[in-house]
Amino acid sequence: MAVFLLLPSCWPAPSESASTLRAIAGEAHELMSRPGSDWLASQPAYQLPPVIAALKPDFISVHDDGIDIVTTAFFDGGWGYYVPRSPQPSPGQLFRHRNLGHGVYWFHPY
């Protein structure tokens, strides 16, 4: 039974720091402006802006509606940060997201 009590503490958690969230948002918009800015963990981290690189993402995927910064990949979605291109993303885009503030959302597996 103790194993089940410890499992939630092992799940990834987002940063709650306002300065970090603002930096993630700014760097994410910078990455979205670059052509072909998808990134895999096998690529050198120096290709990423410093705050996003410090998150040690497994991969980053740029979409028409925003960017996913996946910090822990999982077979059905993983955990990470989502920054929409629009300041007001549609609710349909956010069904598994929690608003952290400063235009940054935290997502979890389905």
Side-chain angles (χ1 to χ4, degrees):
M1 175 133 176
V3 172
F4 293 112
L5 296 175
L6 293 175
L7 282 178
S9 65
C10 298
W11 294 346
S15 172
E16 301 289 340
S17 162
S19 61
T20 299
L21 295 173
R22 280 192 297 273
I24 290 170
E27 291 180 358
H29 283 283
E30 175 193 330
L31 286 176
M32 285 188 274
S33 70
R34 295 181 190 175
S37 51
D38 284 359
W39 184 90
L40 301 172
S42 60
Q43 292 173 267
Y46 68 79
Q47 295 177 343
L48 293 173
V51 174
I52 290 178
L55 299 173
K56 298 182 176 145
D58 285 344
F59 66 91
I60 295 172
S61 183
V62 179
H63 306 281
D64 290 340
D65 61 340
I67 185 170
D68 292 319
I69 303 165
V70 181
T71 58
T72 304
F74 198 63
F75 70 92
D76 64 351
W79 290 266
Y81 297 90
Y82 169 69
V83 178
R85 288 183 190 270
S86 167
Q88 298 299 323
S90 73
Q93 295 170 314
L94 302 177
F95 74 96
R96 64 184 185 118
H97 295 71
R98 178 168 57 103
N99 188 346
L100 300 173
H102 307 284
V104 180
Y105 296 80
W106 178 253
F107 63 86
H108 54 82
Y110 293 100

